[in-house]
Amino acid sequence: MLATSALQRLSLDLATSMASMGLYSGEFGKPELIEKPTREAEQLFQGFAKAKPSKEDAYAAARTFVRGQPLDPWQRDLVASAVAEPIREQAGALALASRQFPALLASYEAEAKRGELWRLTWHGLLYSYFHFDLDRGRDDSTHAGWEALRAFLERTWPLIDRQADKDLIPEWICVLRQETEVLTLRPVEKYSRAYLRGETEATDRLATDLGIPPSSWFWHSLVLGAVHRAAAEVDAEFRRHIPQLIKLIQNRPGFRDEAVEVILIRYHACDGAPPDEMLRDFVCQPNIWKNPKLKAAGIATAWNRVPDPVWRMALGWVNERNLKDFFDILAARNNADEGRLAFWSKYMKQISWTRLVFGADTMALKRTNTGVRELIAREEGAYAQLTSKPEVDAFMMQLGPYLIIEFSKKPNACYVYQADQLPFEPYSRHYEGGSSDLGAGYRDGCALRIVHRDGWASRAEQELRQLGIIPDAAGPRRVAADSASDMTASTGRMAGVGNRSGANATNSTAGGPDMARLKAVVDQFRGASINDRRKSSNGGRLWIEDPLQRAQLATELKALGFKWANSREAWYYPET
């Protein structure tokens, strides 16, 4: 009893003492009582370690600087985080493009060497470095200012690193200690390699702790760096990387079109260029490049970015899928294939255009049938509808100078019309489906009428031969030009919308490319440079270096005969 009483008194005294210290609500010995305040203090410190001044104050300081007015000591630190911000009142001018910017950087560097540069000022410059808008770097002064900023950060980083406290180190400093490549002339090489291996952890942490925005030049360079790296591989390796490249583009869509352009052009160069379902389905989505059939209607204008043979390759993929879907999904509902899929597949390489025409029953099925719903979604903006035959669908396909109409259900025949003498408008949104339009050949006005009775296939093949439509020859599958010279010429002609240089065809001399034309091309891309080592004592090649790895420059260099060197991340002219 005595021991119990003593224990009770001891517990009461302990409770009283804890209450007097404000700890009564907690449990003695719980580490959370220390850990939680410690975490909160750490978070507070990390927040202060990369704090930025108000945007309004920083913008006002940058505006003063651009106007050439002197900065007070406080503004001098504020302006660091806004040197890449366009000043509206000064026609979008940037502080880093001004004549006084080198002097500002020199003063910052002098302070850094003395150990007096405020760490948050340096962090503000790092912020500006990553927030620079690539599209504003087209003129010499802007690009030179941004490059001067990068070089400043690379030079002064060791000084800032040495000033860091040994106990409380900001997260962004810890990250930079591991990822100093982001301040070099090749800031994304390491990360583009990792992305192709499916390793994104380092890049994700880098983006979070350094505050890299989705619109940053960093992602532009990373995405295109990974794409160019994959494109430099042999066909099998390049095609193996396509799923990872698509994933990368989906996660970083800001520079999607340039990346898709490079991938499609490279895929066209693969031996045979067999259809890639994942690439086809990704590129043809309504929110990506849309159905390539819509290019002629001026709706899917992104397809103008690639040479015509590349567009025709993708169009061929879509045409093949449409043909298969029509007979597998639509005609199969009525048991009306009769070998038509196999028959028309023999002419697949010649099909230059297709269009699906859905009846009311099919349109209603999209609510319950997944296959039909996906088919209609893929053809959004390209399909038409039948108004008088709800149970019937139709399929249009062009082979050479002829347009062929197949129906999904008997007793409808197949009609072959001359494409320049159609009794209907091929791009109409609605058709009656009978003799007034699609079935006008039942009475007259068609080149051939195919009735699907026993033995129809052999008869149809002979009749089509008389029209000059002959089954595809056996051999490697190519939708577009077969020869390298055809591809080079087409690439030159179709070097993309907005070709800055006019370098639209391969133009070289016996000793290499036309240097005047080459200089005109490269000069349009600020930061790109020509490194001609052919006359050095040790020999060498003609190199073109572009740290930003722009797709448009890549297209134009390939048109001039240049090849990509994966090891040097640069373009070279192959000597014969």
Side-chain angles (χ1 to χ4, degrees), residues 96-147:
L96 59 75
S98 64
R99 288 178 295 178
Q100 58 269 31
F101 185 63
L104 179 66
L105 287 183
S107 67
Y108 285 150
E109 186 163 1
E111 287 187 10
K113 290 178 179 178
R114 296 194 302 268
E116 298 173 359
L117 181 64
W118 194 21
R119 190 163 63 196
L120 286 181
T121 301
W122 196 92
H123 184 267
L125 293 168
L126 182 68
Y127 171 88
S128 293
Y129 171 63
F130 283 116
H131 280 68
F132 176 69
D133 184 348
L134 188 68
D135 288 336
R136 296 187 177 276
R138 303 302 183 189
D139 62 277
D140 291 336
S141 59
T142 302
H143 186 273
W146 180 72
E147 172 54 29

Side-chain angles (χ1 to χ4, degrees), residues 410-483:
K410 289 181 177 180
N412 298 282
C414 169
Y415 299 99
V416 181
Y417 299 98
Q418 287 186 257
D420 60 351
Q421 299 178 25
L422 295 176
F424 53 84
E425 167 55 51
Y427 290 100
S428 177
R429 296 305 303 271
H430 296 89
Y431 299 101
E432 183 269 336
S435 58
S436 65
D437 45 45
L438 300 185
Y442 178 76
R443 301 186 186 281
D444 52 29
C446 69
L448 177 64
R449 180 170 176 263
I450 300 173
V451 180
H452 304 100
R453 298 193 183 99
D454 290 344
W456 71 270
S458 59
R459 292 193 301 271
E461 181 175 334
Q462 292 302 317
E463 291 170 334
L464 288 171
R465 284 181 179 274
Q466 294 175 13
L467 297 179
I469 304 174
I470 301 171
D472 299 332
R477 178 193 187 90
R478 284 308 289 259
V479 177
D482 291 323
S483 69

Side-chain angles (χ1 to χ4, degrees), residues 30-281:
K30 284 285 187 179
E32 289 82 359
L33 295 174
I34 300 298
E35 292 173 355
K36 183 178 178 182
T38 300
R39 286 195 302 270
E40 291 175 348
E42 173 68 15
Q43 291 171 358
L44 184 64
F45 166 75
Q46 295 296 347
F48 281 126
K50 54 183 179 182
K52 296 183 291 292
S54 74
K55 289 186 176 180
E56 293 77 9
D57 291 343
Y59 181 88
R63 182 177 57 206
T64 299
F65 184 78
V66 168
R67 288 174 174 173
Q69 299 169 354
L71 302 176
D72 62 36
W74 180 239
Q75 288 178 314
R76 188 173 167 280
D77 289 311
L78 289 174
V79 75
S81 61
V83 296
E85 185 74 20
I87 306 302
R88 297 182 299 275
E89 298 86 344
Q90 299 297 123
L94 276 64
L96 59 75
S98 64
R99 288 178 295 178
Q100 58 269 31
F101 185 63
L104 179 66
L105 287 183
S107 67
Y108 285 150
E109 186 163 1
E111 287 187 10
K113 290 178 179 178
R114 296 194 302 268
E116 298 173 359
L117 181 64
W118 194 21
R119 190 163 63 196
L120 286 181
T121 301
W122 196 92
H123 184 267
L125 293 168
L126 182 68
Y127 171 88
S128 293
Y129 171 63
F130 283 116
H131 280 68
F132 176 69
D133 184 348
L134 188 68
D135 288 336
R136 296 187 177 276
R138 303 302 183 189
D139 62 277
D140 291 336
S141 59
T142 302
H143 186 273
W146 180 72
E147 172 54 29
L149 174 59
R150 184 210 61 77
F152 164 85
L153 293 171
E154 184 179 24
R155 288 194 308 272
T156 57
W157 158 243
L159 304 174
I160 298 299
D161 185 23
R162 285 200 295 268
Q163 294 174 15
D165 190 285
K166 293 182 179 179
D167 297 319
L168 291 175
I169 304 175
E171 290 173 350
W172 63 268
I173 286 185
C174 293
V175 172
L176 274 182
R177 285 176 174 174
Q178 300 296 321
E179 313 293 343
T180 55
E181 290 88 347
V182 295
L183 303 180
T184 68
L185 281 169
R186 298 186 180 278
V188 301
E189 183 173 350
K190 169 183 174 181
Y191 311 105
S192 62
R193 290 178 186 274
Y195 254 90
L196 287 182
R197 297 193 299 268
E199 301 169 6
T200 63
E201 183 179 351
T203 312
D204 292 341
R205 184 185 175 199
L206 188 75
T208 299
D209 290 332
L210 298 187
I212 304 176
S215 59
S216 174
W217 60 267
F218 176 83
W219 301 117
H220 173 276
S221 296
L222 188 148
V223 170
L224 292 186
V227 169
H228 280 296
R229 185 173 295 280
E233 301 282 0
V234 297
D235 289 357
E237 281 299 296
F238 165 69
R239 293 177 59 192
R240 185 178 67 82
H241 285 311
I242 285 178
Q244 189 63 24
L245 293 177
I246 290 175
K247 182 180 178 181
L248 172 59
I249 296 169
Q250 289 173 323
N251 292 336
R252 303 295 176 186
F255 309 98
R256 179 195 69 207
D257 290 348
E258 292 175 86
V260 169
E261 176 185 342
V262 174
I263 292 171
L264 287 174
I265 291 174
R266 173 63 181 88
Y267 198 95
H268 179 270
C270 288
D271 184 25
D276 185 292
E277 292 186 5
M278 178 178 287
L279 180 58
R280 177 198 64 200
D281 292 347

